[in-house]
C-alpha cells in the first residue's frame, strides 16, 4: 500500500546520518577526529548527491550506510566488533516510509554489506526479517557478495575485544577507554524531493557479546522506523534499552497521536524515556525538518539538505 504523504513542499530534501553515540573520552587525537569527520562527510555526500539529482530516499539511505559499512572506522560491515567467540555477527534493517515495506537481517557472518541484504529481504522476499544461516543462504541465492569472515576484522577491534574479554565485560564499542576507534552502529534517514521518507541502520553489535545476541538495529520499531506521514528514525546506543521502549516507533507515535513536533518527540524519547548514557537517534520529518538527539557526551552525526546545509559533528 502507499501511505498518503502529509505536507511538505516538493523539491525539499533532507538527509541525516549517525555513526554511533557514546562518551568518546579517549577520542582526542586530531588526526583521528579528522578521519571520523571525513568518513561522515563521504557518507553524507554520497546520499546527498542521490537526493539532489531527484533520487529516492530509499536509495539515499542505503548508499549512505553502504559507505560506512565499507569504512573500517565504523562498527558495521568491515570494522565490526568481535563477539565472545572471536567472530563477527552483523545486523541491519531498512524501511520505506511511503509503503511501510521493510527488511532486516541478523547474525550475518559473510555478507559483505548487510544493508544490501536488508533491502533484498524487503524487495525480494515475502518475509521481513531473516536471521543466521537462512539469511546467509538467501544472500547467496540473491547473488550478494559474500566474503571470508576475516574480511571484517581490524586489529584495533581485536584489541578492544581482548580488553573486554580480560575484564569479562560486554562492551558497547564507544565506551572503551583504551580503544576509541570505530564508535558504533550507523544509520541514515532521508526525505526526498517527492516527500518520501526512508531509514536504514547497520551494526556489528557490541564487543564480547554472547553469540546469537541481537540488538535493536534490525528490529523494526526499535532501532529503525519510517512512515512518510510523520518521520523516519534510526537509533544508536544500548540496543536492549531501545528495544524495551520501541524507541524508533515511539517518535512516530508521539507525532501521530499527540501532534507534537519532530524535535519534541525525539527529545522526549531520548531524555525522558531512556536513561542518560543510553544513546541517541537521528530523525527526519515529513516536512524535511531534522532532529539529532542524544543523551551521551557525543554522537557521530551529519546533516545536509536542499538549502546547502552540510555539516558533521562529534561532540
Amino acid at each position: 500500500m502507499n501511505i498518503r504523504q502529509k505536507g511538505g513542499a516538493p523539491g525539499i530534501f533532507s538527509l541525516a546520518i549517525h555513526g554511533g553515540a557514546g562518551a568518546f573520552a579517549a577520542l582526542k587525537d586530531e588526526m583521528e577526529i579528522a578521519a571520523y569527520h571525513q568518513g561522515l562527510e563521504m557518507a553524507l555526500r554520497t546520499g546527498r548527491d542521490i537526493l539532489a539529482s531527484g533520487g529516492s530516499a530509499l536509495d539515499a539511505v542505503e548508499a549512505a550506510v553502504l559507505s560506512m559499512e565499507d569504512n573500517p572506522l565504523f562498527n558495521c560491515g568491515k570494522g565490526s566488533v568481535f563477539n565472545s567467540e572471536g567472530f563477527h555477527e552483523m545486523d541491519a534493517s531498512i524501511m520505506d516510509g511511503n509503503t511501510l515495506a521493510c527488511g532486516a537481517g541478523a547474525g550475518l557472518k559473510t555478507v559483505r554489506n548487510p544493508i544490501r541484504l536488508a533491502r533484498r529481504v524487503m524487495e525480494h522476499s515475502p518475509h521481513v526479517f531473516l536471521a543466521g544461516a537462512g539469511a546467509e543462504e538467501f544472500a547467496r541465492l540473491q547473488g550478494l557478495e559474500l566474503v571470508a569472515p576475516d574480511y571484517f576484522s581490524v586489529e584495533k577491534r581485536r584489541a578492544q575485544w581482548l580488553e573486554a574479554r580480560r575484564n569479562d565485560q560486554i562492551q558497547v564499542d564507544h565506551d572503551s577507554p583504551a580503544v576509541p576507534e570505530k564508535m558504533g552502529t550507523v544509520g541514515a534517514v532521508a526525505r526526498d524531493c517527492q516527500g518520501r521518507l526512508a531509514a536504514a541502520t547497520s551494526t556489528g553489535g557490541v564487543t564480547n557479546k554472547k553469540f546469537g545476541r541481537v540488538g535493536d538495529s534490525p528490529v523494526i520499531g526499535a532501532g529503525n522506523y519510517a512512515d512518510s506521514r510523520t518521520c523516519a528514525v534510526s537509533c544508536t546506543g544500548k540496543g536492549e534499552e531501545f528495544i524495551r521502549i520501541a524507541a524508533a516507533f515511539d517518535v512516530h507515535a508521539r507525532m501521530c497521536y499527540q501532534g507534537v513536533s519532530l524535535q519534541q518527540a525525539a527529545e522526549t524519547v531520548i531524555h525522558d524515556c531512556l536513561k542518560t548514557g543510553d544513546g541517541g537517534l537521528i530523525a527526519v520529518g515529513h516536512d524535511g525538518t531534522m532532529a539529532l538527539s542524544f543523551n551521551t557526551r557525543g554522537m557521530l552525526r551529519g546533516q545536509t539538505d536542499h538549502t546547502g546545509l552540510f555539516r558533521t559533528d562529534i561532540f
Side-chain angles (χ1 to χ4, degrees):
M1 63 177 174
N2 285 323
I3 298 298
R4 180 175 59 84
Q5 296 162 14
K6 178 183 176 183
I12 291 175
F13 70 81
S14 303
L15 171 69
I17 64 172
H18 71 73
F24 302 147
L27 186 58
K28 298 175 181 177
D29 183 270
E30 296 274 339
M31 292 183 65
E32 290 174 337
I33 292 172
Y36 285 115
H37 279 293
Q38 289 169 4
L40 291 167
E41 288 168 3
M42 182 179 297
L44 203 57
R45 191 173 295 110
T46 299
R48 181 199 62 187
D49 289 349
I50 291 172
L51 295 171
S53 64
S56 72
L58 199 61
D59 286 344
V61 296
E62 181 186 23
V65 168
L66 187 67
S67 174
M68 290 184 279
E69 285 184 343
D70 286 341
N71 186 333
L73 283 173
F74 300 102
N75 176 23
C76 60
K78 187 173 182 64
S80 290
V81 298
F82 288 79
N83 67 12
S84 62
E85 300 295 299
F87 299 107
H88 309 281
E89 289 178 312
M90 296 157 290
D91 311 326
S93 63
I94 194 166
M95 187 164 184
D96 181 347
N98 211 47
T99 63
L100 302 188
C102 47
L108 306 175
K109 297 179 179 179
T110 65
V111 179
R112 174 171 173 164
N113 292 110
I115 197 62
R116 281 186 168 157
L117 180 279
R119 184 160 183 181
R120 291 297 180 92
V121 172
M122 181 181 75
E123 295 181 336
H124 299 284
S125 165
H127 309 300
V128 167
F129 200 156
L130 298 180
E136 298 268 324
E137 176 63 10
F138 177 77
R140 185 187 68 80
L141 293 173
Q142 287 292 309
L144 294 178
E145 184 176 0
L146 305 179
V147 295
D150 61 3
Y151 162 81
F152 305 103
S153 302
V154 295
E155 283 309 306
K156 288 185 178 179
R157 283 298 193 199
R158 188 182 301 276
Q160 187 178 8
W161 168 58
L162 292 173
E163 174 201 17
R165 190 172 68 165
R166 280 194 302 271
N167 297 327
D168 194 26
Q169 293 178 337
I170 297 173
Q171 198 170 71
V172 179
D173 57 299
H174 49 251
D175 286 341
S176 170
V179 188
E181 273 75 22
K182 306 165 207 68
M183 300 294 179
T185 299
V186 309
V189 293
R191 181 207 194 267
D192 63 31
C193 292
Q194 289 73 49
R196 300 169 296 193
L197 304 185
T201 311
S202 182
T203 189
V206 293
T207 298
N208 207 36
K209 66 181 180 180
K210 296 301 181 183
F211 54 90
R213 178 264 187 187
V214 177
D216 66 310
S217 296
V219 180
I220 302 300
N224 199 33
Y225 195 75
D227 186 323
S228 292
R229 297 171 299 180
T230 53
C231 61
V233 183
S234 177
C235 302
T236 177
K238 296 178 181 177
E240 282 75 9
E241 303 306 319
F242 284 81
I243 291 172
R244 288 184 177 109
I245 68 165
F249 182 82
D250 196 18
V251 177
H252 152 77
R254 290 173 186 276
M255 294 181 69
C256 187
Y257 305 132
Q258 294 182 337
V260 302
S261 68
L262 175 70
Q263 189 68 41
Q264 185 178 345
E267 292 290 320
T268 299
V269 169
I270 291 299
H271 296 290
D272 295 346
C273 301
L274 291 164
K275 299 186 297 293
T276 299
D278 280 349
L281 63 81
I282 55 172
V284 61
H286 59 83
D287 57 356
T289 57
M290 291 178 279
L292 296 86
S293 302
F294 52 96
N295 59 30
T296 51
R297 290 186 62 183
M299 181 170 73
L300 296 170
R301 61 201 187 276
Q303 53 188 318
T304 187
D305 65 16
H306 62 285
T307 70
L309 170 68
F310 188 95
R311 65 175 294 171
T312 61
D313 296 283
I314 299 176
F315 303 104

